[in-house]
Amino acid sequence: MGLSPAAALAGSGVSITSYGHSALMIRGGGASVLLNPFKAVACAAGLAEPRVSATVILASSRLLDEGAPVASGKFLVDPGSYRVGGLKIEGIGGPHDRVGGRRFGQSTLWRWQQGGLTFAHLGGTVARLSPADKVLLGRPDVLIIGVGGGAKVYDGSEAAEVVRELQPAVVIPVQYVSGSTPADCDQGSVDGFLQAMGGVPVKRPGRSLNLPGSLSGGPVIQVMR
């Protein structure tokens, strides 16, 4: 008996487009998911704002560099369980900074399935994962994680520790500086993360990446730009 069209589409893989900073568009399974749309301020200065349309927008917070109202679609930023566009989405709350949320408030970690793959989006946080967080996040096929350091993003060694805890097949590092550091930006480059992940294969696909609906082995680091 053949798969229904919806079931066949669900495992068809995804295409991922990077807009820089921690903004990614993930298309597949009949839906499009935009992560962390930004205004071109602070560490995102000089980048083209992702003024695009998506089925759902998953933001780490309402800060303008990771949850700006520049795109159209169902905007989710608060923890909770959601169903949008055929996707089942889980949001998990945690402190955004290194002082229990007293400086930048709370951020949301996201988990969902799309195109046959399980995603975890930790694009804007420094929260240490609790045992409950690890159970909720599971072992994702694709982990999107901030690596640039500073007050509200994991640094390279912290991000590498999370990768070892979650054991994804693919890691997409985000929230780091390429080239010269903009004013009012406390983040560094991706190099510290790559060094902390020493020996793990690194690929540089550019702005676009296609993933099949089934992944094995890993991790492989996909440095997008």
Side-chain angles (χ1 to χ4, degrees), residues 92 111 130-139 166:
I92 305 161
R111 182 185 189 277
S130 68
D133 293 337
K134 294 173 193 176
V135 170
L136 288 168
L137 292 170
R139 183 180 180 181
L166 297 181

Side-chain angles (χ1 to χ4, degrees), residues 96-175:
H96 204 324
D97 52 44
R98 303 176 191 280
V99 287
R102 292 191 297 277
R103 183 176 177 191
F104 291 110
Q106 299 295 297
S107 65
T108 302
L109 319 179
W110 296 101
R111 182 185 189 277
W112 73 101
Q113 288 185 310
Q114 185 180 3
L117 302 174
T118 303
F119 289 82
H121 165 31
L122 281 62
T125 186
V126 293
R128 291 188 66 88
L129 299 182
S130 68
D133 293 337
K134 294 173 193 176
V135 170
L136 288 168
L137 292 170
R139 183 180 180 181
D141 294 304
V142 182
L143 172 63
I144 296 141
I145 186 166
V147 303
K152 59 185 179 69
V153 177
Y154 292 126
D155 64 26
S157 60
E158 291 168 333
E161 180 180 348
V162 173
V163 173
R164 287 189 284 269
E165 289 173 337
L166 297 181
Q167 299 183 355
V170 169
V171 183
I172 302 177
V174 295
Q175 287 243 39

Side-chain angles (χ1 to χ4, degrees), residues 9 12-19 24-35 112 114-117 119 142 144 172 207-213 224:
L9 192 62
S12 59
V14 298
S15 65
I16 303 175
T17 301
S18 171
Y19 299 98
L24 301 174
M25 176 76 86
I26 303 170
R27 295 182 175 91
S32 54
V33 179
L34 177 65
L35 310 183
W112 73 101
Q114 185 180 3
L117 302 174
F119 289 82
V142 182
I144 296 141
I172 302 177
R207 284 195 61 205
S208 300
L209 173 66
N210 293 313
L211 296 175
M224 301 186 70

